[in-house]
Amino acid sequence: TSTDLIPSYANIVNTSQQAVLIENMTGGFVNAFGATISDDGGTGIDILNNASNVTIDNAQLMNSTATGIRIVNSTGVNTFRNSLQGSTLVSGAAQQSVLIDTLGATGQVTFADLQIDDRNGAGIDIDSNSGLIDFVQPVLIGTPAGGADAGVSIAGSQATSVIRFSEALTVNGSNGRGIEVTGSVLGSQINFLGPVTVADTTAESIAIDNEGGILQFNDGTAITGGADTGVSIQNSTGAIAFEGATSITGGGANSPSVDIQGSEANVLFESLSISNAANATPGEGAGVNLQNNIAGGTNTAIMTFTDLIIQGTDTGFLGLNNSEIRILGGEINTTGGPAIDLE
């Protein structure tokens, strides 16, 4: 059916179980060009064990009792468009708003504008990816309704994995982390090509752990209002870059704004500005804390800060037992501790 307000070719209205289920197809096409999907209280859209090419248009998914959109064990090309609506909307999902799990090497997932509201699980959860995932237009993740999962969680990316956020990504609030990237292997690529904004997180705003591939924030990163570390990089061996202007305002009273430990990774901050840094924890820096980053068999552990500004209290910049630190310019103003402590 169609209405005057939503002049679509077809309108799927659902309140129970899946609004769309595509499963066990070995090829072919499923196209919903110009259709609208309105799901309130069902279980959203499931694409499972699927090798066909799927196009979903104008999905509005509210109050799912499970996930909002779930793509699992797929090798086809999956496209989410918005020909009539402003964005694909997932609001109030009980579990992950968008879950992409074990996408095959030939698999692709593309989203146009995506909006996630009132989540209770992760906003976007990408696990064990081997294919291409591209958010080609802005992604907005709003304040959670509950749960402590990250706004964006990327785990276990494989050697053929390519994940791109091609335009702006905004995470407005999290009861846990804002963005987390864990367990990527050598050869994987994750790019945040547009500006990234993370606000008001309870745990780390950006947490990177055991990252072995290429991870790049290409167009600036703004972190505000977090209650914990702004950028945490732990136990990583890949190539990690924060290009453009990275700003971190505030944070926990007992946590560094940038914390990098136990990593062989080469890390670049092109322009890092930290304000209101504070960390009363003995033996740690308030603005930047670098500890035990030693070159090894995988990478050379070069920590580069092209331009660095730190304003706050306690120790501004601590470097303890690192292979190589490069600070090419900037200014550090702190009270209550040394501006720079290298040991």
Side-chain angles (χ1 to χ4, degrees), residues 169-171 179 191-199 205-208 215-224 230-231 240-249 258 268-274:
L169 168 64
T170 302
V171 179
I179 298 169
N191 292 90
F192 296 86
L193 298 173
V196 173
T197 302
V198 181
S205 297
I206 297 175
I208 301 163
L215 172 58
Q216 295 179 324
F217 293 76
N218 298 96
D219 192 25
T221 304
I223 295 171
T224 61
V231 176
I240 301 169
F242 287 80
E243 299 175 347
T246 300
S247 63
I248 302 174
T249 302
V258 173
L268 166 68
F269 283 89
E270 186 175 19
S271 176
L272 174 60
S273 177
I274 298 170

Side-chain angles (χ1 to χ4, degrees), residues 54-317:
V54 177
T55 300
I56 300 293
D57 217 347
N58 306 307
Q60 306 283 286
L61 311 173
M62 283 75 73
N63 304 312
S64 170
T65 58
T67 53
I69 296 170
R70 183 168 62 134
I71 303 169
V72 178
N73 295 326
S74 290
T75 56
V77 177
N78 305 277
T79 304
F80 290 79
R81 316 185 323 162
N82 308 297
S83 62
L84 297 172
Q85 309 282 3
S87 62
T88 297
L89 173 66
V90 182
S91 179
Q95 300 173 17
Q96 299 98 324
S97 298
V98 174
L99 171 62
I100 305 171
D101 191 354
T102 321
L103 185 71
T106 61
Q108 297 182 29
V109 177
T110 301
F111 277 88
D113 296 81
L114 174 62
Q115 180 176 339
I116 295 170
D117 294 330
D118 297 325
R119 61 186 179 86
N120 293 282
I124 297 171
D125 188 349
I126 301 172
D127 295 326
S128 302
N129 179 58
S130 295
L132 169 63
I133 301 172
D134 196 352
F135 299 87
V136 299
Q137 292 181 309
V139 176
L140 173 61
I141 302 176
T143 304
D149 293 303
V152 175
S153 177
I154 302 172
S157 296
Q158 301 302 299
T160 56
S161 170
V162 177
I163 299 170
R164 291 194 296 254
F165 289 80
S166 293
E167 293 199 19
L169 168 64
T170 302
V171 179
N172 281 330
S174 177
N175 297 324
R177 292 168 166 173
I179 298 169
E180 63 181 10
V181 180
T182 62
S184 302
V185 305
L186 181 66
S188 63
Q189 299 180 52
I190 302 171
N191 292 90
F192 296 86
L193 298 173
V196 173
T197 302
V198 181
D200 301 326
T201 63
T202 299
E204 304 98 316
S205 297
I206 297 175
I208 301 163
D209 190 14
N210 194 26
E211 169 59 35
I214 296 172
L215 172 58
Q216 295 179 324
F217 293 76
N218 298 96
D219 192 25
T221 304
I223 295 171
T224 61
D228 205 319
T229 297
V231 176
S232 171
I233 302 173
Q234 308 292 318
N235 309 309
S236 294
T237 58
I240 301 169
F242 287 80
E243 299 175 347
T246 300
S247 63
I248 302 174
T249 302
N254 295 299
S255 57
S257 298
V258 173
D259 185 31
I260 307 175
Q261 298 195 44
S263 294
E264 295 178 23
N266 288 336
V267 179
L268 166 68
F269 283 89
E270 186 175 19
S271 176
L272 174 60
S273 177
I274 298 170
S275 58
N276 301 324
N279 184 8
T281 304
E284 291 187 359
V288 175
N289 184 61
L290 307 180
Q291 298 197 26
N292 302 312
N293 300 299
I294 304 299
T298 305
N299 220 330
T300 53
I302 300 173
M303 307 288 140
T304 302
F305 301 84
T306 305
D307 185 63
L308 175 63
I309 297 174
I310 300 174
Q311 176 273 320
T313 59
D314 307 307
T315 300
F317 185 109

Side-chain angles (χ1 to χ4, degrees), residues 8-64:
S8 61
Y9 292 108
N11 186 17
I12 299 171
V13 179
N14 182 68
T15 58
S16 178
Q17 299 184 343
Q18 295 100 334
V20 175
L21 171 61
I22 302 169
E23 187 175 21
N24 297 327
M25 293 185 64
T26 58
F29 298 86
V30 178
N31 293 325
F33 296 123
T36 60
I37 300 170
S38 300
D39 183 30
D40 193 345
T43 57
I45 295 172
D46 279 350
I47 302 173
L48 310 175
N49 306 310
N50 182 62
S52 67
N53 294 339
V54 177
T55 300
I56 300 293
D57 217 347
N58 306 307
Q60 306 283 286
L61 311 173
M62 283 75 73
N63 304 312
S64 170

